[in-house]
């Protein structure tokens, strides 16, 4: 009776700690639901074993403790074959079952579903961008996706290793320059979830965040169509503002005109003053600061933080961005 009582008490405390504290976010994808199932499967096994061990341990300490003045040896015991068979067999079965459940979940989470939506995810210091091959390569700084449809995310890293994570979706993927890993996710809850970089990737790592917005299929189709239309019609005259937004310059820079308030790099509202101090004409100063950021480093800001990837901006985009920055900074 005492053993059972102790077991129930220890099990109850462990179960309360597991259930009452919010250890994991509410899952918002089918994959996260399966991963949660594995966590609970393992946790329940752990609680039962914990209760058993604590019950026997506490009972033994209390029942078989040495009485004051008792210096005699304990009875000599040597082995117990039946017990040894059981304590080998039960853990073997439990660990094997965890292995089997995990393998099934991994296989299901990796499986290619029908009617998959492909999204290309690009990571660079310090921003995410998402493009939709099925929507004429529309690009977006937020990940907009339809609910209850399988996504295949294909990752590209432009500079260093980053890691894609939406906590509510469960799955994580490192993005490594030179390879293009994929990840399957089926969001099953409408809402707005954080996209986080979980690999230290430089000074702006903590700012490398955006949102995943899960919407109905109709709302997604409408968004893809209008955004695609807007991006394609403006192809003839590239907008500097959209270049600024798409490259997530706001993660590191302040620019009032773009409602950007990043603090990692120089304050772009002050570009005319910076150019004056550097003794350079404003336009070439701005252009060179983007394509060759180490040539002149604004005093008070660290060198080698501005990504070198912007050298690959197409000329029309670079020109549009430079003009946009000049006009915006003069206003600010
Ligand atoms: Cu990208 Cu941390």
């Amino acid at each position: 009776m005492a053993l059972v009582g102790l077991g129930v008490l220890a099990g109850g405390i462990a179960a309360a700690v597991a259930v009452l504290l919010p250890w994991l976010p509410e899952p918002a994808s089918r994959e996260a639901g399966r991963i949660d199932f594995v966590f609970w499967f393992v946790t329940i096994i752990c609680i039962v074993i914990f209760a058993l061990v604590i019950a026997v341990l506490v009972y033994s300490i209390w029942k078989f403790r040495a009485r004051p003045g008792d210096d005699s040896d304990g009875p000599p015991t040597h082995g117990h074959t039946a017990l040894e068979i059981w304590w080998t067999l039960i853990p073997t079965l439990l660990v094997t079952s965890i292995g089997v459940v995990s393998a099934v979940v991994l296989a299901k989470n990796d499986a290619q579903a029908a009617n998959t939506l492909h999204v290309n995810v690009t990571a660079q210091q310090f921003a995410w961008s998402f493009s939709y091959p099925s929507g004429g390569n529309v690009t977006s700084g937020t990940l907009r996706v339809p609910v209850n449809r399988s996504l295949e995310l294909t990752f590209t890293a432009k500079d260093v290793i980053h890691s894609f994570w939406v906590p509510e979706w469960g799955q994580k993927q490192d993005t490594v320059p030179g390879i293009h890993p994929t990840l399957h996710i089926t969001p099953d809850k409408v809402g707005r979830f954080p996209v986080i970089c979980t690999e230290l990737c430089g000074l702006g790592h903590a700012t490398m965040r955006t949102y995943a917005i899960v919407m109905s299929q109709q709302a997604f189709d409408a968004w893809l169509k209008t955004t695609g239309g807007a991006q394609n019609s403006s192809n003839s005259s590239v907008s500097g503002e959209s270049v600024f937004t798409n490259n997530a310059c706001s993660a590191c820079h302040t620019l009032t005109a773009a409602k950007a308030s990043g603090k990692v790099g120089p304050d772009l509202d002050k570009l005319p003053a910076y150019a004056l101090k550097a003794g350079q004409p404003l336009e070439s100063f701005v252009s060179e600061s983007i394509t060759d950021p180490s040539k002149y480093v604004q005093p008070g800001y660290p060198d080698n933080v501005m990504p070198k990837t912007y050298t690959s901006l197409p000329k029309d985009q670079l020109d549009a961005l430079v003009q946009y920055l000049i006009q915006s900074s003069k206003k600010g």
Side-chain angles (χ1 to χ4, degrees), residues 54-267:
I54 292 295
V56 173
L57 188 71
V58 172
Y59 181 81
S60 304
I61 290 172
W62 168 62
K63 178 86 179 170
F64 303 111
R65 69 191 187 278
R67 300 301 192 280
D70 177 5
D71 289 332
S72 63
D73 288 339
T77 44
H78 183 263
H80 190 300
T81 310
L83 199 59
E84 281 170 20
I85 289 174
W86 283 113
W87 77 37
T88 307
L89 199 62
I90 293 174
T92 305
L93 289 175
L94 290 177
V95 173
T96 308
S97 70
I98 293 172
V100 170
V101 168
S102 304
V104 170
V105 166
L106 275 175
K108 281 193 163 191
N109 280 0
D110 264 353
Q112 175 91 57
N115 192 25
T116 297
L117 176 71
H118 294 268
V119 183
N120 291 322
V121 181
T122 305
Q124 69 180 94
Q125 291 170 317
F126 299 99
W128 297 103
S129 73
F130 307 94
S131 77
Y132 300 79
S134 60
N137 277 319
V138 163
T139 55
S140 169
T142 47
L143 175 56
R144 284 171 191 268
V145 292
V147 70
N148 289 329
R149 183 161 164 204
S150 169
L151 305 174
E152 185 175 79
L153 307 178
T154 305
F155 296 92
T156 300
K158 278 197 182 170
D159 35 41
V160 299
I161 301 176
H162 305 270
S163 186
F164 175 91
W165 189 39
V166 175
E168 288 82 354
W169 287 354
Q171 311 253 69
K172 248 184 195 176
Q173 179 62 54
D174 275 10
T175 70
V176 183
I179 61 169
H180 301 280
T182 56
L183 192 61
H184 293 125
I185 293 171
T186 315
D188 59 3
K189 281 204 181 92
V190 169
R192 190 166 176 264
F193 308 99
V195 175
I196 299 169
C197 177
T198 61
E199 186 73 58
L200 183 61
C201 55
L203 201 64
H205 160 69
T207 65
M208 192 167 165
R209 284 170 172 245
T210 181
Y211 284 97
I213 298 168
V214 184
M215 42 177 69
S216 70
Q217 181 74 49
Q218 294 96 308
F220 173 75
D221 289 339
W223 170 78
L224 199 61
K225 215 173 150 200
T226 46
T227 315
Q231 285 183 2
N232 290 330
S233 68
S234 66
N235 260 358
S236 46
S237 57
V238 183
S239 127
E241 188 174 5
S242 69
V243 178
F244 187 87
T245 313
N246 289 341
N247 288 285
C249 307
S250 60
C252 295
H253 294 284
T254 292
L255 183 67
T256 311
K259 296 192 186 71
S261 56
K263 295 272 182 284
V264 176
D267 180 344

Side-chain angles (χ1 to χ4, degrees), residues 26 42 54 58 75 95 228 267 284 291-292 321 332:
E26 195 63 29
V42 175
I54 292 295
V58 172
V95 173
D267 180 344
S284 62
T291 54
D292 191 1
L321 181 60

